Amino acid sequence: MVDMMSKISVGLERAFAARGFAEPSVEDLRDAAGVSLRTLYKYTPSRADMVLAALENRHQRYLSRVFDGLPKGTEEAINTILARVGTWMATETSHGCLFHAALAADPNSGPLRGLLERHKAEVASKAVAATGLVAAETELLVIIEGLTQSWPLRGDEAVEAAKRLGRALGVSLE
């Protein structure tokens, strides 16, 4: 059985992804989490804690979906990572990065900024580990972030452009 915090986090993530960070009422969030208001506040005492719980769940799901079970080889790994980011965008968040949206909704939140920074650092680190492009951590992150931001406008065209950039990056570093 899923532990209570996980259950709450899954529901909160779903609610914030679907409706943004300002719109859902606490009652909406309670319903999405499938718990009583008392239980919701026991595990997430404030709306800020609810957002952090949702994003932590999102972080773990994204890392798993994009980086688990990648093929060996630089080009194969890059292509698979970028294809998976495109699929994530199509199925999970067609409006752009939920982490950036959360920080935009609460720009003075130190905990949100910290979570965003940790998420992006782990994405970059896992991309480097998967591709072997040790000297290209920032470049890989820029390609992934560029895909995330351009996908709502360009869809699969953005995925293919990101793959071309990834191949060019791999060739330039060999």
Side-chain angles (χ1 to χ4, degrees), residues 50-133:
M50 293 175 199
V51 170
L52 290 170
L55 290 176
E56 185 60 45
N57 189 71
R58 181 75 151 207
H59 170 69
Q60 296 304 324
R61 282 191 335 102
Y62 181 86
L63 292 180
S64 177
R65 181 88 54 89
V66 173
F67 295 105
D68 285 358
L70 289 170
K72 302 293 183 209
T74 299
E75 186 172 334
E76 296 84 1
I78 289 173
N79 285 339
T80 302
I81 290 167
L82 297 172
R84 288 177 179 180
V85 171
T87 300
W88 175 270
M89 295 302 296
T91 60
E92 299 285 338
T93 182
S94 61
H95 303 295
C97 178
L98 197 62
F99 292 86
H100 285 292
L103 191 59
D106 190 1
N108 297 319
S109 171
L112 274 178
R113 179 165 300 284
L115 182 55
L116 171 67
E117 290 171 359
R118 180 170 60 90
H119 173 69
K120 300 306 179 181
E122 286 186 39
V123 166
S125 174
K126 286 187 173 287
V128 165
T131 63
L133 298 174

Side-chain angles (χ1 to χ4, degrees), residues 126-168:
K126 286 187 173 287
V128 165
T131 63
L133 298 174
V134 178
E137 183 173 7
T138 300
E139 290 86 347
L140 287 166
L141 183 60
V142 167
I143 292 170
I144 293 167
E145 285 296 292
L147 172 54
T148 301
Q149 294 305 312
S150 61
W151 193 93
L153 299 172
R154 302 292 175 132
D156 289 337
E157 183 183 337
V159 174
E160 293 309 312
K163 287 179 180 180
R164 287 190 301 275
L165 290 170
R167 282 191 298 277

